[in-house]
Amino acid sequence: MFRCPNQGAEGADIALVGVPHSTGNGTTERDQHLGPRALRNVSCVQRRVHGSFGIDPWAAAKIVDVGDVPLPRANDNEACIADITAFYKGIDAAGARPVSIGGDHSITGGIVQALGRGHIAGGEPVCFLHLDAHTDVFTKVDHFLGAKKSAAHWGAYLADQGQVDPTHSMQIGLRGHPRTVDWLQPSYDYGYNVVTMKEFRQRGLSNVAAQAREVLAGRPVYITFDLDCLDPTIAPGVSNLEPGEKGFDIDEAVGLLHSVRGLNIVGGDVVCMMPTKDSPNQITALTAAAVMFEMISMMAERVRPG
């Protein structure tokens, strides 16, 4: 991935990880496990330096590709989440900060069960910069098709476990079609700082980015980026597309990511890519790789500034 050596996380600053998991999604769109393969295929043509930051992240930090999480019980979501957590506990113990490509959004639950209050986070709960069309705190919706730790519930159960601090976390870009009129209420009840897409349009990028930086400053930050936060014209090969209201332009999404530049980013993920629905030019995979590159560059810059 990104031309990095395929080796273990020991001694690395950043570990790139594939999580080929689809059974946490409640819809029939189960091809998200193909995401890591698609991203690997295009990542070799991604940028080698970050022009705006003025750094070569591959030289600034030791970055390795630790491969894909092995999921021998792939059709058992609860078993997969446990396997994901066990895999990331090893990465956390090695002191490498993981940047992952999914896989459906349930993988965030498995990852943060390992990172929350872990070694890299200094024993503290992580705080989310969460860009998404959906809250994934759907406590008012039944668990999907038997998947208890599903793609729709990790924002709740991680808070219940104390692995994440919702009061210092941001959920930005929410525009999903509601199943209930009060679909945002669980996020408010948990204390998440919510910025809907409608509010984002009213307030503007700079205002929302400033809030995100203020809320997350001084805390271990975990970035989770659901590709459905982007407008479908930009990222068509995505599960659970949300038409009817414009999503983020890529420049807006990157601007929000940059709100945590220089902060203690302990890890990040990009999720919900559906390569089987992508355009022939693989634009969604290329966009996902570009988002990962921004995360990698911000983390590498902190390892070796300038």
Side-chain angles (χ1 to χ4, degrees):
M1 197 184 301
F2 292 97
R3 307 187 207 173
C4 293
N6 180 214
Q7 61 188 66
E10 197 67 39
D13 299 307
I14 299 171
L16 307 181
V17 194
V19 193
H21 176 60
S22 290
T23 51
N25 190 25
T27 73
T28 57
E29 297 186 306
R30 297 296 183 90
D31 289 339
Q32 295 167 82
H33 63 279
L34 300 175
R37 183 187 308 174
L39 186 129
R40 280 198 172 88
N41 287 343
V42 302
S43 67
C44 63
V45 300
Q46 286 292 300
R47 287 176 288 168
R48 302 308 296 170
V49 298
H50 198 294
S52 298
F53 293 1
I55 67 164
D56 176 347
W58 319 109
K62 183 177 180 181
I63 306 174
V64 301
D65 176 3
V66 299
D68 286 358
V69 178
L71 300 170
R73 298 167 288 179
N75 285 328
D76 183 339
N77 181 70
E78 313 316 307
C80 289
I81 298 302
D83 288 342
I84 292 167
T85 298
F87 190 89
Y88 279 83
K89 282 186 175 179
I91 295 173
D92 181 66
R97 296 169 188 250
V99 182
S100 311
I101 177 67
D104 68 48
H105 215 155
S106 69
I107 73 167
T108 302
I111 295 167
V112 174
Q113 283 187 150
L115 298 187
R117 299 189 180 276
H119 170 63
I120 301 170
E124 298 180 38
V126 304
C127 299
F128 285 131
L129 175 62
H130 175 199
L131 275 59
D132 203 329
H134 312 97
T135 67
D136 296 346
V137 191
F138 285 101
T139 57
K140 295 179 180 292
V141 178
D142 290 339
H143 293 293
F144 291 155
L145 301 179
K148 294 180 179 179
K149 291 185 173 180
S150 81
H153 297 95
W154 54 267
Y157 78 75
L158 290 172
D160 292 337
Q161 293 174 356
Q163 307 285 6
V164 61
D165 177 1
T167 64
H168 289 95
S169 295
M170 297 290 300
Q171 293 190 313
I172 310 175
L174 308 178
R175 72 183 199 281
H177 60 282
R179 291 169 176 81
T180 59
V181 173
D182 60 348
W183 72 291
L184 293 173
Q185 192 58 47
S187 284
Y188 294 131
D189 291 342
Y190 273 97
Y192 283 102
N193 295 276
V194 172
V195 180
T196 64
M197 185 59 75
K198 181 178 181 180
E199 183 181 348
F200 175 81
R201 294 287 170 222
Q202 292 170 340
R203 292 173 52 188
L205 171 60
S206 60
N207 183 280
V208 175
Q211 180 192 359
R213 188 166 188 85
E214 180 180 357
V215 168
L216 293 162
R219 300 177 184 277
V221 177
Y222 186 88
I223 305 171
T224 182
F225 190 103
D226 190 324
L227 289 162
D228 68 24
C229 77
L230 298 169
D231 194 75
T233 60
I234 296 169
V238 173
S239 177
N240 304 115
L241 289 173
E242 289 294 351
E245 183 175 1
K246 188 175 185 294
F248 292 128
D249 290 329
I250 188 62
D251 288 351
E252 293 171 331
V254 170
L256 289 169
L257 291 175
H258 288 177
S259 70
V260 296
R261 182 183 176 190
L263 301 187
N264 181 23
I265 304 170
V266 300
D269 61 52
V270 181
V271 298
C272 296
M273 182 162 58
M274 287 276 290
T276 51
K277 293 170 64 176
D278 206 357
S279 298
N281 63 7
Q282 298 177 292
I283 186 58
T284 308
L286 288 162
T287 300
V291 171
M292 285 188 73
F293 179 79
E294 295 295 337
M295 296 183 191
I296 292 164
S297 295
M298 288 192 294
M299 293 163 69
E301 184 180 45
R302 186 177 169 91
V303 170
R304 195 178 303 169

